[in-house]
């Protein structure tokens, strides 16, 4: 990733706030469809991507802006005034880049190595069944919800691993979309 090229196009906080304000009328117009369809419209997620909102907390070495959480909060506050559901999904999905920056660097490379716009969802409650296998873990199960998952290419999923003690150990697993499905019939939020 060319950090100098990224730094040349990083918007200021004021620019991001203005982009958020400009989206409020559009978000208000889409709010009913967001509720009726039980998901943030794809157009809204694309607007967020184009505005750079998902990159606010993402590290520069991975194509992000590496800005303050306060900047992210200011954008969320404005977006939520246009559509609270869209603001919620932006908050949940937009926090994951910061989480990924604290993981093993190989994780970020795997997720963003080819495309810094890749998004992650999460469901940390340990509903998954996990067992150790050669080279890693086998994860299976059903997680009850994951806000924004319809628009994400990866998921962080919680599971309990038997580590040979009295109590299992909680872990989060980074899973590519190719390895899970979303059951729309049970997704009623």
């Amino acid at each position: 990733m060319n950090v100098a090229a990224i730094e040349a196009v990083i918007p200021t906080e004021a620019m991001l706030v203005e982009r958020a304000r400009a989206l409020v009328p559009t978000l208000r117009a889409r709010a009913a469809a967001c509720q009726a369809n039980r998901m943030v419209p794809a157009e809204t997620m694309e607007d967020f991507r184009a505005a750079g909102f998902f990159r606010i907390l993402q590290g520069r070495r991975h194509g992000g802006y590496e800005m303050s959480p306060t900047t992210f909060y200011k954008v969320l506050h404005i977006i939520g005034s246009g559509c609270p559901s869209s603001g919620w999904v932006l908050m949940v999905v937009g926090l994951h880049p910061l989480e990924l920056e604290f993981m093993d660097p190989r994780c970020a490379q795997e997720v963003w190595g080819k495309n810094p716009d890749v998004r992650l969802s999460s469901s940390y409650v340990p509903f998954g069944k996990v067992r150790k296998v050669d080279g890693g873990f086998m994860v299976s199960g059903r997680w009850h919800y994951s806000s924004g998952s319809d628009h994400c290419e990866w998921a962080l999923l919680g599971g309990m691993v038997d580590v040979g003690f009295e109590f299992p150990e909680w872990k989060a697993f980074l899973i590519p979309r190719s390895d899970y499905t979303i059951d729309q019939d049970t997704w009623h939020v």
Side-chain angles (χ1 to χ4, degrees):
M1 187 69 51
N2 184 337
V3 175
I6 293 163
E7 290 176 350
V9 297
I10 293 176
T12 64
E13 179 180 287
M15 293 166 71
L16 291 165
V17 165
E18 184 52 40
R19 290 173 189 176
R21 283 191 186 115
L23 278 173
V24 168
T26 301
L27 295 173
R28 286 185 179 146
R30 292 178 185 157
C34 183
Q35 294 300 314
N37 295 325
R38 303 182 333 251
M39 71 168 57
V40 173
E43 298 84 7
T44 297
M45 295 299 280
E46 174 55 25
D47 289 341
F48 292 167
R49 186 210 57 79
F53 299 157
F54 295 117
R55 292 188 183 200
I56 293 172
L57 299 176
Q58 186 174 349
R60 289 183 183 185
R61 68 180 178 216
H62 298 115
Y65 306 152
E66 204 170 310
M67 298 175 98
S68 164
T70 303
T71 300
F72 189 56
Y73 169 77
K74 289 176 182 179
V75 167
L76 291 173
H77 182 77
I78 295 165
I79 293 299
S81 73
C83 176
S85 296
S86 295
W88 172 263
V89 170
L90 173 59
M91 182 269 304
V92 171
V93 175
L95 279 173
H96 294 125
L98 181 60
E99 291 178 85
L100 199 57
E101 292 293 341
F102 288 103
M103 294 180 185
D104 185 302
R106 294 174 292 182
C107 295
Q109 181 59 35
E110 179 77 16
V111 172
W112 293 315
K114 295 180 183 171
N115 180 0
D117 287 322
V118 169
R119 294 184 293 262
L120 299 90
S121 65
S122 65
S123 187
Y124 289 115
V125 179
F127 292 120
K129 297 175 185 172
V130 182
R131 61 184 173 87
K132 288 184 178 183
V133 297
D134 287 341
F137 299 93
M138 176 64 71
V139 179
S140 64
R142 294 178 67 89
W143 287 259
H144 296 277
Y145 58 88
S146 179
S147 298
S149 59
D150 289 310
H151 305 291
C152 295
E153 295 88 352
W154 288 80
L156 291 159
L157 301 175
M160 301 298 279
V161 179
D162 182 2
V163 291
F165 299 111
E166 184 177 347
F167 299 104
E169 183 177 282
W170 176 88
K171 291 191 179 291
F173 296 88
L174 183 60
I175 313 276
R177 180 69 176 259
S178 59
D179 289 348
Y180 66 88
T181 59
I182 299 171
D183 183 353
Q184 296 293 346
D185 292 334
T186 61
W187 184 246
H188 296 278
V189 295

